Amino acid sequence: MRSLISILDLSVEELDALIATAKDIIAHPDNYREKCKYKKLATLFYEPSTRTRLSFEAAMLELGGSVLGFSEASSSSAAKGESVADTAKMISCYADIAAMRHPREGAPYVASTAATIPFINAGDGGHNHPTQTLADLLTISREMGRLNNLTIGLCGDLKYGRTVHSLIEAMSRYEGINFVLISPKELKIPGFVRYNVLEKHNIPYTEVTSLDDAMPQLDVLYMTRIQRERFDDPADYERLKDSYILTADKMTLAKEKMCVLHPLPRVNEISVKVDNDPRAAYFRQALNGKFMRMALILKLLKEAEDGKKEAIDTEGFIYDRVCRNPKCITQVEQELPQICKLTDRAAGIHRCIYCEQKV
């Protein structure tokens, strides 16, 4: 059964087709009112969420389907110790498709391998968030009129920011993309993104610490929140939380034609005075997320009905190494097989198949 765990599960052609479907939904909403009649979406949210969970639910309801699920781990059998795989098997009995958010990296992947329905990764720890990236792509396309030949600034928490990781993976496949990575040294982009994506595919990027210096060259500015929940040491969070704040004064440094994105929620990294700037696209971005999730649900359900399956590439799998990432799903579900994959033969780099951290 085909699922969506990483944005790389979708080809550029598929991304473009999803964007086209979303734009058709926007233009002709009545044509989609009963596309998912009698279908059920399960939303399995082990972490707090507003936009992602509600946009998934709104997407399914606007397609004529229904929704079931839970909004916190404590209200599910996870509180009793049920494994992710067992939950996925059980949910497959009740729903036609599922969306999962989980604090453990790799949990949606585990669910997808156990389920008999499509599973969508709605965010796993600091790893991936592919459906947020779908919202980002539609927003950039609508705001800028293109998805190529862009300089994209990513600002804030680039280490734990799963939305940033997924967006880099997606945009790296379009022509003429240049990244400006703006962060404190403690929150720089992690190795699995740097080596697996940027350097492996020779994508131009620069790393800077000054937002002001970067502003004039950007076509897209992607602001992110410094995420309290990703820090093991509260003192580190307090020290870094106000590293970057986008103000109206800083916006005077930007191009007249650019857009500001943010996956939300914001804390104080974007001043409310920026909200009225026509280049501020983050609330339009939240709405675009609903349309892209509608398009994705339609695609995965259609493929499930057609019996399309996703082949798992096991070439290079190695079973004798242990992942040390404390946020990996293998740290809490001990019966999962420890598997890593050779991702760079020349450098001898192996990465966990669940969280992509080097082992």
Coordinates of all heavy atoms in Angstrom, one line a residue, residues 129-164:
H129 N 8.1 16.5 7.5 CA 6.7 17.0 7.5 C 6.3 17.3 6.1 O 6.1 18.4 5.6 CB 6.6 18.3 8.3 CG 5.3 18.7 8.7 ND1 4.1 18.1 8.3 CD2 4.8 19.6 9.6 CE1 3.0 18.6 8.8 NE2 3.5 19.6 9.7
P130 N 6.0 16.2 5.3 CA 5.8 16.3 3.8 C 4.6 17.1 3.5 O 4.6 17.8 2.4 CB 5.8 14.9 3.3 CG 5.4 14.1 4.5 CD 6.1 14.8 5.7
T131 N 3.5 17.0 4.2 CA 2.3 17.7 3.8 C 2.3 19.2 4.1 O 1.7 20.0 3.4 CB 1.0 17.1 4.5 OG1 1.0 17.3 5.9 CG2 0.8 15.6 4.1
Q132 N 3.2 19.6 5.0 CA 3.4 21.0 5.2 C 4.2 21.5 3.9 O 3.9 22.6 3.5 CB 4.2 21.3 6.4 CG 4.6 22.8 6.6 CD 3.4 23.7 6.7 OE1 2.5 23.5 7.6 NE2 3.4 24.8 5.9
T133 N 5.1 20.7 3.4 CA 5.8 21.1 2.2 C 4.9 21.2 1.0 O 5.1 22.1 0.2 CB 6.9 20.0 2.0 OG1 7.8 20.0 3.1 CG2 7.7 20.4 0.7
L134 N 3.9 20.3 1.0 CA 2.9 20.5 -0.1 C 2.2 21.8 0.0 O 2.0 22.5 -1.1 CB 1.9 19.4 0.0 CG 2.4 17.9 -0.3 CD1 1.2 16.9 -0.2 CD2 3.0 17.8 -1.7
A135 N 1.9 22.3 1.2 CA 1.3 23.6 1.4 C 2.3 24.7 1.0 O 1.9 25.7 0.3 CB 0.9 23.8 2.8
D136 N 3.5 24.5 1.3 CA 4.6 25.5 0.9 C 4.7 25.6 -0.6 O 4.8 26.7 -1.1 CB 5.9 25.1 1.5 CG 5.9 24.9 3.1 OD1 4.9 25.5 3.7 OD2 6.8 24.3 3.6
L137 N 4.7 24.5 -1.3 CA 4.9 24.5 -2.7 C 3.7 25.2 -3.4 O 3.9 26.0 -4.3 CB 5.0 23.0 -3.2 CG 6.3 22.3 -2.8 CD1 6.2 20.8 -3.4 CD2 7.5 23.0 -3.2
L138 N 2.5 24.9 -3.0 CA 1.4 25.6 -3.6 C 1.4 27.1 -3.3 O 1.1 27.9 -4.2 CB 0.1 25.0 -3.1 CG -1.2 25.6 -3.6 CD1 -1.3 25.5 -5.1 CD2 -2.5 25.0 -2.9
T139 N 1.8 27.4 -2.1 CA 1.9 28.8 -1.8 C 3.0 29.6 -2.6 O 2.7 30.7 -3.2 CB 2.2 29.0 -0.3 OG1 1.3 28.3 0.5 CG2 2.2 30.5 0.1
I140 N 4.1 29.0 -2.7 CA 5.2 29.6 -3.6 C 4.7 29.7 -5.0 O 4.9 30.7 -5.7 CB 6.5 28.8 -3.5 CG1 7.1 28.8 -2.0 CG2 7.5 29.3 -4.4 CD1 8.2 27.9 -1.8
S141 N 4.1 28.7 -5.5 CA 3.6 28.7 -6.9 C 2.6 29.8 -7.1 O 2.6 30.5 -8.1 CB 3.0 27.3 -7.2 OG 2.4 27.3 -8.5
R142 N 1.7 30.0 -6.1 CA 0.6 31.0 -6.3 C 1.2 32.4 -6.0 O 0.7 33.3 -6.7 CB -0.5 30.7 -5.3 CG -1.3 29.4 -5.6 CD -2.5 29.2 -4.6 NE -3.6 30.1 -5.0 CZ -4.7 30.3 -4.3 NH1 -4.7 29.7 -3.1 NH2 -5.6 31.0 -4.7
E143 N 2.1 32.5 -5.1 CA 2.6 33.8 -4.8 C 3.6 34.3 -5.8 O 3.7 35.5 -6.1 CB 3.3 33.8 -3.4 CG 2.3 33.5 -2.2 CD 1.3 34.6 -2.0 OE1 1.7 35.8 -2.1 OE2 0.1 34.3 -1.6
M144 N 4.5 33.4 -6.2 CA 5.6 33.8 -7.1 C 5.4 33.5 -8.6 O 6.2 33.9 -9.4 CB 6.9 33.2 -6.6 CG 7.3 33.5 -5.2 SD 7.5 35.3 -4.9 CE 8.9 35.7 -5.9
G145 N 4.4 32.6 -8.8 CA 4.2 32.2 -10.2 C 5.1 31.2 -10.8 O 5.0 30.9 -12.0
R146 N 5.9 30.6 -9.9 CA 6.9 29.6 -10.4 C 7.5 28.8 -9.2 O 7.4 29.3 -8.1 CB 8.0 30.3 -11.2 CG 8.9 31.2 -10.4 CD 9.9 31.9 -11.2 NE 10.9 32.6 -10.5 CZ 10.8 33.8 -9.8 NH1 9.6 34.4 -9.9 NH2 11.8 34.3 -9.2
L147 N 8.1 27.7 -9.5 CA 8.8 26.9 -8.5 C 10.3 26.7 -8.9 O 11.0 25.9 -8.3 CB 8.1 25.6 -8.4 CG 6.8 25.6 -7.6 CD1 6.1 24.2 -7.6 CD2 7.0 26.0 -6.1
N148 N 10.8 27.5 -9.9 CA 12.2 27.4 -10.3 C 12.8 28.8 -10.3 O 12.1 29.8 -10.1 CB 12.3 26.7 -11.7 CG 11.5 27.4 -12.7 OD1 11.0 28.6 -12.5 ND2 11.3 26.8 -13.8
N149 N 14.1 28.8 -10.3 CA 14.9 30.0 -10.4 C 14.5 31.0 -9.2 O 14.1 32.1 -9.4 CB 14.7 30.8 -11.7 CG 15.1 29.9 -12.9 OD1 16.2 29.3 -12.8 ND2 14.3 29.8 -13.9
L150 N 14.7 30.4 -8.0 CA 14.4 31.2 -6.8 C 15.5 31.1 -5.8 O 16.2 30.1 -5.7 CB 13.1 30.6 -6.1 CG 11.8 30.7 -6.9 CD1 10.7 29.8 -6.2 CD2 11.3 32.2 -6.9
T151 N 15.7 32.2 -5.0 CA 16.6 32.2 -3.9 C 15.7 32.1 -2.6 O 14.9 33.0 -2.4 CB 17.5 33.4 -3.9 OG1 18.3 33.4 -5.0 CG2 18.4 33.4 -2.6
I152 N 15.9 31.0 -1.9 CA 15.0 30.8 -0.8 C 15.8 30.9 0.5 O 16.8 30.2 0.7 CB 14.4 29.4 -0.9 CG1 13.6 29.2 -2.2 CG2 13.5 29.1 0.3 CD1 13.1 27.8 -2.4
G153 N 15.4 31.8 1.4 CA 16.0 31.9 2.7 C 15.3 31.1 3.8 O 14.0 31.2 3.9
L154 N 16.0 30.3 4.5 CA 15.4 29.5 5.6 C 16.0 30.0 6.9 O 17.2 29.9 7.1 CB 15.7 28.0 5.4 CG 15.2 27.5 4.0 CD1 15.9 26.2 3.7 CD2 13.7 27.3 4.1
C155 N 15.1 30.5 7.8 CA 15.6 31.2 9.0 C 15.1 30.6 10.3 O 13.9 30.4 10.4 CB 15.2 32.7 8.8 SG 15.8 33.7 10.2
G156 N 16.0 30.4 11.2 CA 15.6 30.0 12.6 C 16.2 28.7 13.0 O 17.4 28.4 12.9
D157 N 15.2 27.8 13.3 CA 15.6 26.4 13.8 C 15.7 25.5 12.6 O 14.7 24.9 12.1 CB 14.5 25.9 14.7 CG 14.9 24.5 15.3 OD1 15.9 24.0 14.9 OD2 14.1 24.0 16.1
L158 N 16.9 25.4 12.0 CA 17.1 24.5 10.9 C 17.6 23.1 11.3 O 17.5 22.2 10.5 CB 18.2 25.1 10.0 CG 18.0 26.6 9.5 CD1 19.0 27.0 8.5 CD2 16.6 26.9 9.1
K159 N 17.9 22.9 12.6 CA 18.3 21.6 13.1 C 17.1 20.7 13.3 O 17.1 19.6 12.9 CB 19.2 21.8 14.3 CG 19.7 20.5 14.9 CD 20.5 20.7 16.2 CE 21.0 19.4 16.7 NZ 21.9 19.6 17.9
Y160 N 16.2 21.2 14.1 CA 15.0 20.4 14.4 C 13.8 20.7 13.6 O 12.8 20.1 13.7 CB 14.7 20.7 15.9 CG 15.8 20.4 16.9 CD1 16.4 21.4 17.6 CD2 16.2 19.1 17.1 CE1 17.4 21.1 18.5 CE2 17.2 18.8 18.0 CZ 17.8 19.8 18.7 OH 18.8 19.5 19.6
G161 N 13.9 21.8 12.7 CA 12.7 22.2 11.9 C 12.4 21.2 10.8 O 12.9 21.3 9.7
R162 N 11.4 20.3 11.1 CA 11.1 19.3 10.1 C 10.5 19.9 8.8 O 10.7 19.3 7.7 CB 10.2 18.2 10.7 CG 8.9 18.8 11.3 CD 8.2 17.8 12.2 NE 7.0 18.4 12.8 CZ 6.4 17.9 13.8 NH1 6.8 16.8 14.4 NH2 5.3 18.5 14.4
T163 N 9.8 21.0 9.0 CA 9.3 21.7 7.8 C 10.4 22.1 6.8 O 10.3 22.1 5.6 CB 8.4 22.9 8.1 OG1 9.2 23.8 8.9 CG2 7.2 22.4 9.0
V164 N 11.5 22.6 7.4 CA 12.7 23.0 6.6 C 13.3 21.9 5.9 O 13.6 22.0 4.7 CB 13.7 23.7 7.6 CG1 15.0 23.9 6.9 CG2 13.2 25.0 8.1

